[in-house]
Amino acid sequence: MDISVVVPLYNEEESLPELAGWIAKVMDENKFSYEIIFIDDGSTDSSFHVIRQLSKQNPNIKAIRFSRNYGKSPALHKGFEKAEGDVVITMDADLQDSPDEIPELYRMITEDGYDLVSGWKKKRYDPLSKTIPTKLFNATARKVSGIKNLHDFNCGLKAYRKPVIKNIEVYGDMHRYIPYLAKNAGFSRIGEKEVRHQARKYGHTKFGLDRFVNGYLDLGTLWFQTKFGVKPMHIFGLLGSFMFFIGFVAVLTVIILKLVSLGSDTYHFYLTKSVYFYLSLASMIMGLQFFLTGFMGELIIRNSTERNVYKIAETL
């Protein structure tokens, strides 16, 4: 199979017929063998009913319906599991991504040798409340990830070689950082294509301030996991050892000063009445706790289980 198109969606019943027809038209014109995989993320409208009717008209349409809303990353994860195409295309279901971009994205993967090609919506039709946070987010993501050539990490329109999506784990809200995940997995040939952005035709945007804030928190999580995720002892053990050493030296200093002051009027000052003594003890205790945190982290990693476990209500 040439192409798998993975489409995560939530309450997009109005746009689905037009999107499915548009994708099929592009595929037929270019003589691609293909599948369209819709992942219904617990929609509360009739989205899955619409998909069921579309699948009767087009046997290339497949679908998964979650029993409740889990988020875009879980939807992509299940779509990637199911995808069989040599090239996997992801796009949003709101018709803001154009299926006409698919042939060129496919060519960049198969002929130019990219592992991943991300779309860049240079000219956007979103409100300032979305575009300004997006620019700030992308600037930070470029700095942290080291992928300097990407302008839009979170663009839903992307193309991948099949081995990429089979060797990365998308969980939580990490769909924003798939290029970063791919780079960390050894797929460093990452390209970008300027794509056309269309104004939303139906429904309303799901973007909110909470997604912007969560994006930064997830970026910090991903950076930490990249640096210390496999060996948490490298950060917690080092920090704990340093704090324990500082506390030990401080306690030793206070005790020595007490011994030196024996018989003087300041006999009780350096130990029983000195705040530094208790701060030193606190530093030693915190250092020990950090060290044990690193040790527990090592044990958890060695015995971790699958994170992406979701309840599937129906599969087409």
Side-chain angles (χ1 to χ4, degrees):
M1 184 180 295
D2 295 325
I3 298 175
S4 294
V5 182
V6 177
V7 185
L9 64 106
Y10 179 71
N11 290 347
E12 297 287 356
E13 60 181 355
E14 295 174 304
S15 63
L16 291 174
E18 185 174 339
L19 177 63
W22 194 354
I23 294 174
K25 176 176 177 291
V26 171
M27 296 300 181
D28 292 340
E29 288 176 348
N30 290 272
K31 296 181 172 57
F32 290 134
S33 56
Y34 73 99
E35 63 181 355
I36 305 172
I37 305 173
F38 288 111
I39 313 296
D40 184 350
D41 187 22
S43 294
T44 56
D45 64 2
S46 60
S47 290
F48 203 77
H49 173 73
V50 173
I51 294 171
R52 191 182 292 111
Q53 298 305 311
L54 292 172
S55 69
K56 294 178 181 178
Q57 303 168 18
N58 184 348
N60 296 309
I61 292 178
K62 305 172 183 178
I64 295 174
R65 180 169 67 92
F66 285 159
S67 60
R68 66 172 178 84
N69 181 253
Y70 285 100
K72 189 173 183 179
S73 290
L76 287 174
H77 175 78
K78 301 307 291 187
F80 289 164
E81 278 188 348
K82 193 174 182 66
E84 299 177 2
D86 295 332
V87 175
V88 177
I89 307 288
T90 59
M91 62 171 51
D92 294 334
D94 54 12
L95 294 174
Q96 291 189 280
D97 297 330
S98 172
D100 290 335
E101 308 283 357
I102 290 177
E104 179 60 15
L105 290 170
Y106 178 81
R107 188 199 67 78
M108 293 178 72
I109 296 292
T110 57
E111 296 183 17
D112 293 348
Y114 287 108
D115 295 316
L116 183 158
V117 178
S118 181
W120 174 28
K121 298 172 182 176
K122 187 175 182 179
K123 184 178 181 180
R124 303 184 67 98
Y125 294 94
D126 291 322
L128 290 177
S129 59
K130 184 175 180 179
T131 55
I132 292 177
T134 297
K135 288 182 181 296
L136 293 173
F137 162 77
N138 283 310
T140 306
R142 282 194 297 271
K143 183 70 174 178
V144 173
S145 68
I147 306 175
K148 305 296 185 182
N149 62 314
L150 291 192
H151 293 82
D152 191 355
F153 278 72
N154 199 25
C155 179
L157 186 57
K158 289 184 174 68
Y160 313 82
R161 286 197 305 116
K162 185 177 181 180
V164 176
I165 58 103
K166 298 300 184 181
N167 285 280
I168 61 174
E169 183 186 10
V170 187
Y171 64 95
D173 284 321
M174 292 300 175
H175 62 274
R176 303 178 180 94
Y177 308 108
I178 290 181
Y180 196 5
L181 294 172
K183 177 187 174 185
N184 291 339
F187 301 101
S188 57
R189 292 172 294 179
I190 299 174
E192 183 175 69
K193 180 186 183 301
E194 186 176 334
V195 297
R196 181 158 50 98
H197 183 231
Q198 304 177 132
R200 175 178 273 275
K201 192 172 182 179
Y202 306 105
H204 59 278
T205 182
K206 314 301 191 298
F207 182 87
L209 183 60
D210 59 329
R211 293 178 63 184
F212 174 66
V213 175
N214 291 339
Y216 273 101
L217 296 177
D218 290 335
L219 183 60
T221 299
L222 185 56
W223 175 85
F224 185 87
Q225 289 180 336
T226 302
K227 295 293 184 181
F228 309 108
V230 178
K231 288 292 183 181
M233 183 61 83
H234 286 185
I235 178 65
F236 290 109
L238 179 63
L239 182 60
S241 298
F242 176 75
M243 292 189 66
F244 186 87
F245 177 76
I246 294 297
F248 178 77
V249 171
V251 167
L252 189 62
T253 302
V254 171
I255 292 175
I256 291 173
L257 290 174
K258 174 180 174 60
L259 294 175
V260 170
S261 66
L262 287 176
S264 68
D265 294 336
T266 59
Y267 175 77
H268 296 288
F269 173 76
Y270 290 108
L271 193 59
T272 58
K273 295 185 178 180
S274 174
V275 68
Y276 300 108
F277 176 74
Y278 297 102
L279 289 176
S280 302
L281 287 179
S283 179
M284 293 178 65
I285 293 172
M286 290 176 64
L288 182 61
Q289 288 177 328
F290 273 120
F291 190 88
L292 292 176
T293 298
F295 179 71
M296 293 300 295
E298 294 279 346
L299 294 178
I300 291 171
I301 286 176
R302 290 177 183 272
N303 297 279
S304 62
T305 57
E306 181 65 39
R307 285 175 288 201
N308 280 304
V309 179
Y310 309 108
K311 293 186 181 298
I312 305 298
E314 187 174 351
T315 299
L316 294 178

